[in-house]
Amino acid sequence: MQWVAQIERIKSHQDQTAFAEVFAHFAPRVKAFLMKSGADATLAEETTQEVMATLWTKAHMFDPGRASVSTWIFTIARNRKIDALRKQRRPEPEDLWWGPEAEPDQSDILSLQQETDQLSAALAKLPAKQRELIERAYFGDLSHSEIAEETGLPLGTIKSRIRLALERLRHAMK
């Protein structure tokens, strides 16, 4: 049977008879392919239906110069299976309580303010070259490579200065 001609009839005339022939031939094969590749019967059936619906709606996208009809259909099936499996593995969002957040505790506010002041003082004590790189990396949100491009300093120097600065900050924050 000439499957290219059937796809052409589906594309040109929405020929339901041609579609029924393609469906009757390929749907069981697609379902078997999906089950052999690890899909359970329900997923395989649903995915097969999606594949065949895609064939009906996107027959105009079939290019006989690029692939055979079976290759095109099984590629659609493979991609739909991958999409379905990704969807199954996607974690569900946690139950979120919507509404205004509770006011922070005064002791938390005071503690955060003290830490902020301590960090500001520690940053001020850093050598200027280290402080500038820390500010570019953490407040300017630049990568080490971007900082190297902007400053003209070697990447290794950037990394060393940032590492030394972070070590000094860590020590000051204890």
Side-chain angles (χ1 to χ4, degrees), residues 41-162:
T42 304
L43 178 61
E45 183 66 35
E46 289 172 2
T47 304
T48 299
Q49 293 298 321
E50 288 178 21
V51 169
M52 300 316 287
T54 300
L55 184 145
W56 175 257
T57 60
K58 300 206 176 181
H60 65 279
M61 296 181 76
F62 174 68
D63 179 1
R66 294 185 66 199
S68 68
V69 171
S70 62
T71 300
W72 183 61
I73 292 172
F74 282 96
T75 300
I76 294 169
R78 180 184 146 280
N79 292 340
R80 291 296 164 113
K81 184 190 99 177
I82 290 169
D83 291 344
L85 292 174
R86 282 183 184 149
K87 194 174 187 180
Q88 283 180 346
R89 291 188 189 127
R90 189 173 300 140
E92 293 297 317
E94 294 179 26
D95 291 336
L96 298 174
W97 180 78
W98 297 98
E101 291 185 19
E103 288 293 317
D105 188 8
Q106 287 296 5
S107 63
D108 291 339
I109 294 172
L110 182 60
S111 176
L112 183 60
Q113 185 59 50
Q114 288 172 343
E115 286 177 7
T116 302
D117 293 343
Q118 187 181 3
L119 180 59
S120 294
L123 277 168
K125 291 180 185 175
L126 286 176
K129 292 178 180 180
Q130 290 178 4
R131 183 176 57 251
E132 179 187 335
L133 295 179
I134 288 290
E135 288 171 350
R136 286 177 184 240
Y138 292 95
F139 303 127
D141 203 28
L142 297 175
S143 71
H144 293 172
S145 299
E146 291 169 332
I147 295 169
E149 285 178 27
E150 283 186 6
T151 62
L153 293 171
L155 184 59
T157 302
I158 302 290
K159 291 181 177 186
S160 295
R161 287 183 184 170
I162 289 176

Side-chain angles (χ1 to χ4, degrees), residues 3 17-29 52:
W3 297 117
T17 305
F19 179 72
E21 291 171 7
V22 172
F23 189 98
H25 180 78
F26 284 102
R29 289 166 175 80
M52 300 316 287

